[in-house]
Amino acid sequence: MACQLLNGKKGIIFGALDSKSIAWKIAERAYEQGAAFTLSNTPVALRFGEINLLSEKCHAEIIPADATSVSDLEHVFSRTMEIFGGKIDFVLHSIGMSMNVRKGREYDDLDYDYFLKTIDVSAVSFHKMLQVAKKMDAINEWGSILALTYIAAQRTLVGYNDMADAKSLLESIARSFGYIYGREKNVRINTISQSPTRTTAGGAIKGMEGLIDFTDRMSPLGNATADECADFSVVLFSDLSRKVTMQNIYHDGGFSSMAMSLKAMTQYNKSLDEDS
Ligand SMILES: NC(=O)c1ccc[n+]([C@@H]2O[C@H](COP(=O)([O-])OP(=O)(O)OC[C@H]3O[C@@H](n4cnc5c(N)ncnc54)[C@H](O)[C@@H]3O)[C@@H](O)[C@H]2O)c1
């Protein structure tokens, strides 16, 4: 793409694990659009080694951090500011994990230690990130902070489990902190509610393939891909969206406004015919 929407912008991208990760695609697109950034993920994720490819491609230093650790986050922000010689312009939170999902614990049989971990990793980490950034005065005026979320925060979807609760909290944090950060520093905070996408985290959700097919049939524009999410994220990081804050924005081909589509009805009727 010829335009340089993020020319001169500097940031931090949390959560690129492998080339399927939504954060990976966002990093590639942000780099193409002129941004410079650091990458962060857990020491365990970094041991997989794939992120080194992204780091080389985007000339981005990798800073290990567990996003539930305030001191790790302080290090990520201070090192990033050191690299870029001052404040930054954007942050991506693309982090989610549920041990209940991983271990197959159903929502009416949750392990509560796992549940608290889900909330800490997938939602409270966003608050920690924002609080660290604000206390360090790390973000330039009109800077943009984004987190990725899912419609299970508003509607019940079978199999999404305790991640639905984590996403509700994540979206609420974006609003509550967005007010304060906007009022005091003109910094913007939004969440993107993305279509189901084939990634490592996405693959852990029960019935993911059926869900992807269903939402694709239900959405007038079809599911949004990770690459399309990257395009949209770049717009939200850019100065073209300066007055957008405290929003949860659906990036889902229209799924969130649908109740029944012709394509989904046709498929449903076919299965009824087979049953009879
Ligand atoms: N895949 C989907 O269908 C989908 C849909 C909507 C929203 N999302 C959201 O997008 C975000 C990115 O997920 P993805 O689908 O790209 O999967 P992914 O598995 O590629 O990314 C999840 C990332 O979270 C990181 N992570 C886990 N625990 C962490 C911790 N303690 N500290 C720091 N990082 C940690 C992982 O290492 C990984 O990089 C998540 O918030 C996810 O819920 C995904």
Side-chain angles (χ1 to χ4, degrees):
M1 262 185 249
C3 58
Q4 290 273 294
L5 274 182
L6 300 184
N7 202 9
K9 302 267 188 221
K10 299 171 175 59
I12 307 173
I13 294 185
F14 288 89
L17 175 67
D18 55 33
S19 59
K20 295 195 295 303
S21 298
I22 301 170
W24 186 289
K25 309 283 188 195
I26 295 174
E28 287 180 327
R29 193 68 84 254
Y31 182 71
E32 276 168 30
Q33 292 291 328
F37 46 83
T38 56
L39 295 165
S40 183
N41 211 322
T42 58
V44 176
L46 299 186
R47 277 204 288 279
F48 289 124
E50 230 188 292
I51 195 175
N52 293 323
L53 300 174
L54 184 65
S55 155
E56 282 163 27
K57 187 174 175 184
C58 300
H59 305 288
E61 183 169 313
I62 304 169
I63 309 170
D66 177 342
T68 64
S69 157
V70 170
S71 60
D72 281 10
L73 291 171
E74 284 167 346
H75 173 65
V76 176
F77 279 87
S78 63
R79 176 69 193 134
T80 303
M81 285 164 73
E82 188 178 287
I83 291 170
F84 295 125
K87 295 189 197 184
I88 59 171
D89 306 286
F90 67 91
V91 178
L92 175 72
H93 177 288
S94 185
I95 295 171
M97 199 279 300
S98 161
M99 286 303 287
N100 282 307
V101 168
R102 282 196 189 172
K103 300 276 186 194
R105 296 290 296 253
E106 299 287 339
Y107 192 70
D108 54 357
D109 181 35
L110 290 184
D111 177 294
Y112 289 113
D113 289 332
Y114 293 167
F115 189 26
L116 291 176
K117 189 80 187 156
T118 301
I119 300 294
D120 197 15
V121 171
S122 311
V124 179
S125 64
F126 191 43
H127 192 285
K128 291 176 179 171
M129 221 173 259
L130 295 166
Q131 190 161 297
V132 164
K134 184 164 182 287
K135 283 190 175 167
M136 292 176 76
D137 198 15
I139 315 286
N140 279 318
E141 258 206 309
W142 305 108
S144 172
I145 304 177
L146 271 184
L148 291 175
T149 187
Y150 186 52
I151 195 174
Q154 288 77 29
R155 314 267 169 86
T156 301
L157 283 112
V158 62
Y160 203 69
N161 211 320
D162 57 349
M163 280 299 291
D165 304 310
K167 291 305 191 192
S168 316
L169 178 57
L170 181 83
E171 292 173 20
S172 176
I173 289 170
R175 285 186 294 271
S176 304
F177 219 111
Y179 167 58
I180 295 171
Y181 223 161
R183 183 187 69 193
E184 294 184 16
K185 298 277 180 185
N186 286 337
V187 169
R188 313 185 280 120
I189 307 176
N190 295 290
T191 52
I192 295 182
S193 187
Q194 164 67 9
S195 293
T197 313
R198 285 183 191 85
T199 61
T200 304
I205 304 298
K206 202 164 135 189
M208 186 66 173
E209 281 308 309
L211 181 66
I212 286 178
D213 181 78
F214 174 70
T215 56
D216 197 50
R217 286 178 203 274
M218 284 287 286
S219 313
L221 303 180
N223 286 335
T225 64
D227 280 309
E228 287 162 337
C229 186
D231 289 339
F232 188 48
S233 302
V234 162
V235 173
L236 286 177
F237 286 149
S238 82
D239 291 335
L240 297 184
S241 54
R242 279 160 71 102
K243 287 290 169 77
V244 181
T245 193
M246 302 166 67
Q247 301 301 312
N248 176 46
I249 309 172
Y250 292 101
H251 183 252
D252 64 356
F255 174 77
S256 45
S257 290
M258 292 296 302
M260 180 50 89
S261 72
L262 183 60
K263 275 186 185 170
M265 178 67 93
T266 306
Q267 189 63 19
Y268 185 69
N269 283 340
K270 259 194 232 164
S271 63
L272 285 183
D273 290 345
E274 280 163 17
D275 284 351
S276 58

